[in-house]
């Protein structure tokens, strides 16, 4: 009905990121020096500090397995009340306006590329128009606050980086934050771009050297390279999500007078769950890159 599918996908993307950030808080080690099953320090560093164990567990049980099953049993996956519940929650997240700055990016990219925004609904007018753009302004303010929280915490050494990787300087943490955000963005964009290019004839897939090489490798043979890329991409994206969650996760205990920007203890406890990192990653490292790839698939 209308653009509800797009609304669901936006809300769902934020829910996925928030769940990953919460999992990182739940399963991340508080003290890297604690003994775990008598494992060597190197193994603990890879599987616990870096998070390879959580990545594999989340990717296989939480994503790939269910995606494969859902591709064969579509009706079974949506024919239950839990699927309906998650649908309403995702649409509620979108309705809240937290992610609405993505629509501003969509409009900018549409104007730059000259491609109209395809919608199944009538143009917004009156109160609907004002309510929509009001949420866009609110979303921009929330995004700005989340970025300020993240950068201040990184420069002050108040993130989980100082716990998991105490040898990393604060400036390097900031660089790693933007680096892994870019990695996530490129992988999200490549997924959209590859499916868009797959619908084009071979002679319309660009003229650049790297573009043609990429398409030749992706679509050669029996077509198994595209599914192979999707599986590898999923693992890499989840791995990057957990690293960004570790980088942006706050290491501030409420009630000790060190709350960021002097906010109340309840607000600090809420931010400690990773809300600010989920907002930033969803908008700037996921949805924005997907929209850019939709507008310029050949470039990606």
């Amino acid at each position: 009905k209308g653009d509800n599918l797009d609304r669901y996908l936006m809300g769902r993307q934020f829910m996925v990121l928030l769940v990953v950030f919460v999992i990182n808080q739940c399963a991340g080690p508080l003290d890297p020096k604690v003994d775990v099953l008598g494992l060597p320090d190197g193994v603990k560093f890879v599987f616990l500090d870096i998070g390879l164990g959580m990545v594999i567990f989340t990717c296989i049980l939480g994503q790939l397995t269910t995606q494969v099953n859902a591709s064969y049993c579509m009706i079974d996956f949506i024919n239950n009340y839990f699927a309906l519940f998650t649908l309403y929650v995702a649409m509620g997240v979108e309705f809240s306006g937290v992610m609405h700055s993505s629509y501003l990016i969509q409009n900018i990219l549409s104007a730059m590329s000259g491609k109209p925004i395809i919608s199944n609904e009538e143009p917004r007018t009156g109160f609907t128009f004002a309510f929509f753009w009001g949420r866009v302004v609110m979303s921009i303010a929330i995004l700005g606050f989340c970025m300020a929280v993240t950068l201040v915490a990184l420069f002050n050494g108040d993130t989980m980086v100082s716990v998991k990787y105490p040898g990393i300087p604060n400036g390097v943490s900031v660089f790693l934050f933007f680096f892994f955000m870019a990695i996530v963005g490129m992988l999200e964009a490549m997924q959209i771009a590859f499916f868009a290019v797959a619908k084009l004839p071979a002679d319309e897939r660009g003229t650049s050297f790297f573009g043609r090489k990429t398409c030749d490798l992706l679509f050669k043979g029996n077509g198994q390279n595209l599914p192979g890329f999707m599986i590898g991409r999923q693992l890499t994206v989840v791995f990057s999500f957990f690293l960004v969650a570790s980088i942006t996760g706050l290491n501030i205990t409420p009630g000790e007078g060190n709350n960021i920007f002097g906010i109340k203890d309840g607000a600090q406890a809420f931010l400690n769950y990773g809300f600010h990192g989920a907002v930033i990653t969803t908008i700037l490292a996921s949805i924005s890159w997907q929209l850019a790839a939709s507008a310029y698939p050949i470039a990606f």
Side-chain angles (χ1 to χ4, degrees), residues 55-297:
V55 170
I56 295 175
F57 189 82
T58 304
C59 201
I60 294 178
L61 294 184
Q63 291 190 314
L64 290 177
T65 303
T66 52
Q67 289 175 357
V68 171
N69 289 337
S71 67
Y72 287 97
C73 308
M74 294 82 72
I75 302 301
D76 299 279
F77 261 77
I78 64 175
N79 190 27
N80 58 79
Y81 283 109
F82 184 74
L84 183 63
F85 170 74
T86 55
L87 170 64
Y88 280 125
V89 172
M91 292 185 62
V93 170
E94 190 277 341
F95 181 78
S96 70
V98 175
M99 300 289 106
H100 267 52
S101 53
S102 300
Y103 290 121
L104 175 62
I105 298 172
Q106 183 184 38
N107 279 270
I108 293 174
L109 291 172
S110 175
M112 292 173 57
S113 64
K115 297 180 180 179
I117 299 175
I118 300 176
S119 175
N120 296 319
E121 299 179 353
E122 296 295 327
R124 300 179 184 87
T125 57
F127 173 77
T128 305
F129 179 85
F131 184 55
F132 173 81
W133 286 104
R135 286 180 291 173
V136 170
V137 173
M138 180 191 72
S139 177
I140 294 174
I142 293 174
L143 178 62
F145 173 75
C146 292
M147 281 295 297
V149 167
T150 300
L151 292 177
V152 169
L154 284 172
F155 279 115
N156 291 341
D158 291 331
T159 67
M160 294 304 295
V161 175
S162 60
V163 177
K164 293 185 177 182
Y165 323 108
I168 297 180
N170 295 340
V172 176
S173 299
V174 176
F175 168 78
L176 291 176
F177 167 66
F178 287 106
F179 174 77
F180 285 113
M181 291 270 286
I183 294 295
V184 172
M186 282 300 299
L187 291 171
E188 294 280 17
M190 289 170 68
Q191 174 184 232
I192 301 298
F194 286 168
F195 279 108
V197 170
K199 301 176 182 179
L200 300 176
D203 57 349
E204 295 182 13
R205 292 173 180 168
T207 57
S208 66
F209 173 80
F210 290 106
R212 286 195 171 276
K213 284 292 184 182
T214 301
C215 290
D216 291 342
L217 178 62
L218 196 65
F219 302 113
K220 77 173 184 178
N222 57 3
Q224 291 299 313
N225 284 352
L226 180 57
F229 162 79
M230 295 302 297
I231 293 176
R233 168 208 166 272
Q234 192 70 36
L235 186 63
T236 309
V237 165
V238 174
F239 184 69
S240 299
F241 281 163
F242 275 106
L243 288 176
V244 172
S246 296
I247 293 171
T248 60
L250 299 179
N251 184 33
I252 300 175
T253 303
E256 295 184 354
N258 298 321
N259 295 353
I260 195 163
F261 299 140
I263 60 178
K264 295 183 177 180
D265 291 344
Q268 182 62 61
F270 177 70
L271 288 178
N272 285 351
Y273 284 110
F275 173 82
H276 60 292
V279 170
I280 295 171
T281 309
T282 303
I283 297 176
L284 298 183
S286 183
I287 295 177
S288 298
W289 289 72
Q290 292 175 2
L291 293 172
S294 298
Y296 305 98

